[in-house]
């Protein structure tokens, strides 16, 4: 089995033929078009209790926040801008301006330039291309569900979906762990994108009892390790001895983001254990 992958959060998308910046431009355009046609008062199931208006404002401000980070290379305060009117066309135009500004910043900055990211103080500006792409794709799915529509076939290509799954497993799951949301993983779990043949194996990382704070060590005879004290280790490839999950990359992507039920996955092994993992909070 290959060795553990680094925790840098740097995208491997380019090596897999995914032009992240072009995909971001396309995704932002689709989101803006959807906003223009939306009932902005509709509730968004994946982001309760937000309305479609709240969702559009959130994504526009996230784009502005990310653009500031990329420009400065430093952490930035979250923005709280709003459109001057709540009409769908006005909100769409406000969002499009935010997205265009983000695109221009990302296009003009060397993706290898040092920049603060969600995973380190010594990351690269290119991190934000990928992060903003998947933020936009997921929220476009949210707008569709707010309108009572199922995502149309082909909305998420297999290549895009496998990249998004990789981001959840290598970046966001660790980010959430560091913020107190631990993935419930007590045994190795393999996730397989059936249509792209890409696979990841997640392994729990126990901490030796002598490395734990004294108050958490327990009494004599108790286990010598604390499972879950560290985020799972993510390996590229499929460990056939692990619990197995298989699905089309797009379905796996939506389940990892909590936008589709676990029933869309093919599970073999300990089903209860797998379901507990997917019930964990893995994304913001």
């Amino acid at each position: 089995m290959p060795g553990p992958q680094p925790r840098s959060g740097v995208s491997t998308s380019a090596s897999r033929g995914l032009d992240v910046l072009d995909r971001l431009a396309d995704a932002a355009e689709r989101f803006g078009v959807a906003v223009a046609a939306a009932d902005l008062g509709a509730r968004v199931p994946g982001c309760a209790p937000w309305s479609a208006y709240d969702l559009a404002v959130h994504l526009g401000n996230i784009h502005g926040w990310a653009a500031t980070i990329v420009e400065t290379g430093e952490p930035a305060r979250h923005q709280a801008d709003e459109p001057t009117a709540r009409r769908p066309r006005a909100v769409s135009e406000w969002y499009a301006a935010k997205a265009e500004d983000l695109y221009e910043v990302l296009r003009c900055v060397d993706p290898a330039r040092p920049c603060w990211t969600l995973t380190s103080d010594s990351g690269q500006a290119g991190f934000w291309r990928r992060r903003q792409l998947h933020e936009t794709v997921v929220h476009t799915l949210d707008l569709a569900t707010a309108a009572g529509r199922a995502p149309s076939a082909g909305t998420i290509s297999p290549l895009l979906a496998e990249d998004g799954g990789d981001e959840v497993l290598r970046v966001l799951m660790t980010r959430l762990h560091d913020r107190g949301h631990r993935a419930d993983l007590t045994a190795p779990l393999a996730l397989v994108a059936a249509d792209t043949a890409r696979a990841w194996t997640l392994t729990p990382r126990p901490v030796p009892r002598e490395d734990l704070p004294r108050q958490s060590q327990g009494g004599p005879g108790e286990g010598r390790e604390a499972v879950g004290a560290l985020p799972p280790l993510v390996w590229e490839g499929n460990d056939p001895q692990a619990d197995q999950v298989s699905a089309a990359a797009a379905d796996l992507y939506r389940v990892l983001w909590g936008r589709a039920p676990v029933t869309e996955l093919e599970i073999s092994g300990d089903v209860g254990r797998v379901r507990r993992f997917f019930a964990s909070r893995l994304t913001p």
Side-chain angles (χ1 to χ4, degrees):
M1 179 181 293
Q5 301 297 308
R7 190 185 155 174
S8 67
V10 174
S11 172
T12 58
S13 312
S15 64
R16 294 181 177 273
L18 185 67
D19 190 323
V20 179
L21 195 54
D22 282 352
R23 293 294 184 99
L24 172 57
D26 291 343
E29 183 177 6
R30 285 195 299 273
F31 185 85
V33 169
V35 168
D39 171 3
L40 296 181
R43 294 297 160 187
V44 183
C47 300
W50 286 356
S51 66
Y53 173 81
D54 297 327
L55 183 70
V57 170
H58 161 77
L59 186 56
N61 280 319
I62 286 291
H63 288 340
W65 172 69
T68 302
I69 292 170
V70 173
E71 285 183 309
T72 64
E74 302 292 337
R77 291 181 178 273
H78 284 279
Q79 299 186 359
D81 295 344
E82 287 200 51
T84 56
R86 291 191 172 220
R87 297 186 305 276
R89 178 61 61 184
V91 176
S92 176
E93 290 173 354
W94 174 87
Y95 168 77
K98 292 281 191 179
E100 178 65 20
D101 182 60
L102 172 67
Y103 176 83
E104 287 301 320
V105 169
L106 289 171
R107 184 180 65 82
C108 294
V109 171
D110 181 353
R113 196 190 76 181
C115 183
W116 179 84
T117 71
L118 298 180
T119 59
S120 73
D121 294 324
S122 57
Q124 297 179 339
F127 169 94
W128 293 100
R129 294 184 174 194
R130 182 196 213 191
R131 176 80 288 280
Q132 291 300 290
L133 168 61
H134 293 298
E135 186 82 2
T136 306
V137 169
V138 168
H139 287 325
T140 302
L141 296 179
D142 288 331
L143 269 186
T145 57
R149 300 190 306 271
S152 58
T155 298
I156 308 175
S157 73
L159 189 62
L160 176 65
E162 74 162 32
D163 183 75
D166 187 77
E167 188 202 34
V168 171
L169 298 174
R170 295 191 195 279
V171 178
L172 300 180
M173 183 171 64
T174 295
R175 168 79 167 168
L176 269 290
H177 181 281
D178 291 346
R179 299 178 80 176
H181 303 283
R182 295 179 175 180
D184 189 341
L185 184 75
T186 55
L189 171 63
L191 308 180
V192 180
D195 50 347
T196 67
R198 189 159 184 198
W200 304 262
T201 295
L202 282 58
T203 306
R205 293 196 288 186
V207 177
R209 187 165 176 251
E210 56 268 23
D211 291 344
L212 296 174
R214 184 177 300 277
Q215 65 268 26
S216 67
Q217 291 186 14
E222 295 190 13
R224 288 186 51 80
E225 297 181 326
V227 174
L230 293 174
L233 191 63
V234 180
W235 306 74
E236 186 84 15
N238 182 3
D239 178 359
Q241 312 237 337
D243 291 332
Q244 298 280 316
V245 166
S246 178
D251 292 335
L252 185 59
Y253 179 72
R254 292 187 300 118
V255 174
L256 283 168
W257 269 97
R259 267 53 175 195
V262 181
T263 51
E264 296 200 7
L265 307 176
E266 180 182 328
I267 299 173
S268 59
D270 189 317
V271 175
R273 195 159 56 201
V274 172
R275 287 178 178 271
R276 286 193 295 275
F277 168 77
F278 281 102
S280 306
R281 185 174 176 186
L282 305 174
T283 59

